[in-house]
Amino acid sequence: MARTPEVAAAYARLVLQSGVIQPASLLRGVGLTEQAVATQEFVTASELALLFANYHQLVNDPTWTAKLGAQLNIAAHGPLGFAALSAPTLGEALDVMGELQAVRNTAMISSSIVTPSRYLLKFEDAFGEPQFHCWMIEVVMKIVESLLASILGHPVGKNVVIRLAQAAPVHAEELAACYDSTLKFDQGSNSIEVPLAWRQLR
């Protein structure tokens, strides 16, 4: 039997700890208690999808995904985060993120692609709920962007490109302003790409 897609409970904890909405309202219909979210290592993708849907409906901020990702710094990902930060080069850090992300999130599949001039980290849906996947992609892209900034020692700049498969939403400009990278919509797939030369940066 296939394993039920799971995501690190850190995502759920940050939503509950936002301070904007009462946890009881956010957890309505989710099937989780505050205690469970506080103590479990993982929640199912279905549970997190319901929690995200409640938050999206109640928070009145279309850019909440990028803001959540900004709070989930790489240290919040435990051994995976420290492995990425301990890698000797930026390229190997991204490789670690791609190869081991399933340790923290089995709702997505990641792969790396090398072109003559760019290095891409690509993410695909492994859960089957399109709206949830869009939200997760926006969160994860901000996490990876923050990892790059930590390694570089400064914001990544527009030379880093985040490509999203989704059509541009009505709040596209607001969302783009939450990223330091260039954000592009209607790209057919979801990826974050850096100049190939960056792979060798210590």
Side-chain angles (χ1 to χ4, degrees), residues 59-74:
V59 76
N60 194 31
D61 181 356
T63 65
W64 65 266
T65 48
K67 292 172 182 174
L68 180 67
Q71 294 178 67
L72 269 164
N73 61 50
I74 200 66

Side-chain angles (χ1 to χ4, degrees), residues 117-120 145 148 152 154-163 179-184 191-198 201:
S117 61
R118 311 286 283 179
Y119 174 84
L120 290 75
E145 185 188 78
L148 292 171
L152 294 169
H154 56 76
V156 296
K158 299 304 180 183
N159 207 16
V160 171
V161 179
I162 293 174
R163 300 186 185 276
Y179 296 86
D180 296 310
S181 310
T182 298
L183 190 65
K184 295 187 176 184
S191 65
I192 183 167
E193 64 178 56
V194 301
L196 187 59
W198 285 22
L201 292 175

Side-chain angles (χ1 to χ4, degrees), residues 124-143:
E124 299 174 78
D125 184 18
F127 177 47
E129 209 293 304
Q131 182 58 75
F132 174 66
H133 184 59
C134 285
W135 288 332
M136 279 300 297
I137 283 294
E138 291 170 10
V139 172
V140 168
M141 290 302 186
K142 188 62 184 181
I143 293 170

Side-chain angles (χ1 to χ4, degrees), residues 112-123:
S112 57
I113 300 170
V114 178
T115 74
S117 61
R118 311 286 283 179
Y119 174 84
L120 290 75
L121 195 56
K122 184 177 179 181
F123 296 92

